[in-house]
Amino acid sequence: MAEMTTTFKVEGPLFKADAPKQLIKAVNRGLLDLVVIEGSVRVKEELWGPTSAEAYKRSTPDERHGAKTRTLKRAVLGSVPRDGIGQIDAGQEEFGANLMYSSWVEGISSRNASSSFKGYHMFQHAYDHINNPKLLNEYIGAAIAEAFQ
């Protein structure tokens, strides 16, 4: 008696043995693009003002926004320290610790409670911006699609 069988053969990069590794690599690449382009750049954009310390001292609060020496602005970076984890920090990844005063500038230091300065909340603003399904799909989805073409 004849046996009826159906065989499907799938081919392509998505079906290779190392596809899970490629997927993780693609997700990490998309995540890095997201935290750098949409995250750390957004934080840095909130730190503006005169470029010299002398000009900063002469300026009014309306003419500046947390960029007294530019040290904090230079320290802000986006990274992917582990698979699937995007991070925007003020020196943690590069120097091993955030700049000492970054939590005060952000507004999360215990000093902010007793001060009239409540912080700029620039990291929170960046998080709120990138925690968006449309952006996740745009950056991570595009990186996955590109990896498996």
Side-chain angles (χ1 to χ4, degrees), residues 68-136:
K68 186 173 182 177
T69 64
R70 304 279 193 252
T71 303
L72 178 56
K73 191 171 187 172
R74 283 190 303 272
V76 174
L77 295 173
S79 63
V80 178
R82 294 183 311 276
D83 288 341
I85 304 293
Q87 177 174 302
I88 305 165
D89 62 50
Q92 176 70 37
E93 188 66 21
E94 186 173 0
F95 306 118
N98 285 316
L99 291 177
M100 199 173 1
Y101 58 88
S102 61
S103 60
W104 182 73
V105 175
E106 175 66 7
I108 58 172
S109 169
S110 58
R111 289 177 47 205
N112 294 102
S114 60
S115 168
S116 62
F117 178 67
K118 299 304 177 194
Y120 294 127
H121 307 288
M122 58 213 170
F123 287 92
Q124 183 63 49
H125 295 157
Y127 171 79
D128 292 343
H129 174 69
I130 65 175
N131 191 25
N132 174 334
K134 183 179 177 188
L135 283 177
L136 292 170

